[in-house]
Amino acid sequence: MLLESYDSQGLLTITSVLGKTSTAGVSAWRGDLVLVEGAMREGATNLNDRNPPKLLIHQAAMLADNEKILFVNGVVYKLDSLQVFVEKYKAGLTPETLALVYVENIGSNLEVEIGGVKFKLVPYSEGMVWNETMELLYIEKADLKGQSAEDKVVTVYEAAKDFKFKAEAVDYQTALSKTIEVKREASYGPV
């Protein structure tokens, strides 16, 4: 299975779900997806003995069969990270891959094609991506009741397929020109 292959390469981190769904031949995963691995540790003999990743799709959810990625969801802080995703995972991507991704440095919904994959992009400011996605797709907790963690990803995918996404369709270069500067407020812990 494709997801298990990614896992063995150390590309799936902070995994909370990884397993087969009730749909034959389809696996689901949730966690952080590595886009750029960290450097090998000094004296490392294992290929997965690396420093922390340099770039991730955070709070990701993915569905895949043996050969292709069916669905990907998560958040990137910068729009140009999606080009890195397409280059790294191009062997598993097809024009049918459904990509619903939150992006911190965009100001409005966008639909962009990168490397043959259509991305539905949603502005992100804060929150849990899984909860934000369920709210966006009008999925109630009752809709997920009694399902395995893996099948919940299938339910989100099915809802995303039928969702009427309102967005400006632009080419990738135009989308890059529409990015915004993200200002973060300093936050302090307990004193």
Side-chain angles (χ1 to χ4, degrees), residues 1 11 32 35-36 38 41 44-45 68 78 81 86 93 95-96 108 113-114 138 140 146-147 165 175 181 189:
M1 298 297 269
L11 299 174
D32 285 354
L35 301 182
V36 177
R41 295 181 200 261
T45 56
K68 62 186 181 297
K78 295 187 176 184
S81 300
V86 170
L93 296 170
E96 290 77 40
S108 62
E113 186 176 317
I114 307 169
Y138 305 108
E140 300 291 330
Q147 293 183 359
F165 187 69
E181 182 180 340

Side-chain angles (χ1 to χ4, degrees), residues 80-115:
D80 59 6
S81 300
L82 294 179
Q83 181 68 44
V84 178
F85 166 72
V86 170
E87 289 169 12
K88 183 156 195 76
Y89 294 94
K90 64 184 165 200
L93 296 170
T94 70
E96 290 77 40
T97 299
L98 199 161
L100 177 61
V101 180
Y102 289 82
V103 182
E104 195 174 42
N105 72 335
I106 62 172
S108 62
N109 288 356
L110 295 173
E111 192 166 68
V112 176
E113 186 176 317
I114 307 169

Side-chain angles (χ1 to χ4, degrees), residues 99 106 108-114 117-122 163-172 175:
I106 62 172
S108 62
N109 288 356
L110 295 173
E111 192 166 68
V112 176
E113 186 176 317
I114 307 169
V117 177
K118 283 189 180 167
F119 288 85
K120 295 175 179 179
L121 306 176
V122 181
F163 183 67
K164 302 293 183 235
F165 187 69
K166 293 181 179 102
E168 180 182 5
V170 297
D171 63 55
Y172 183 54

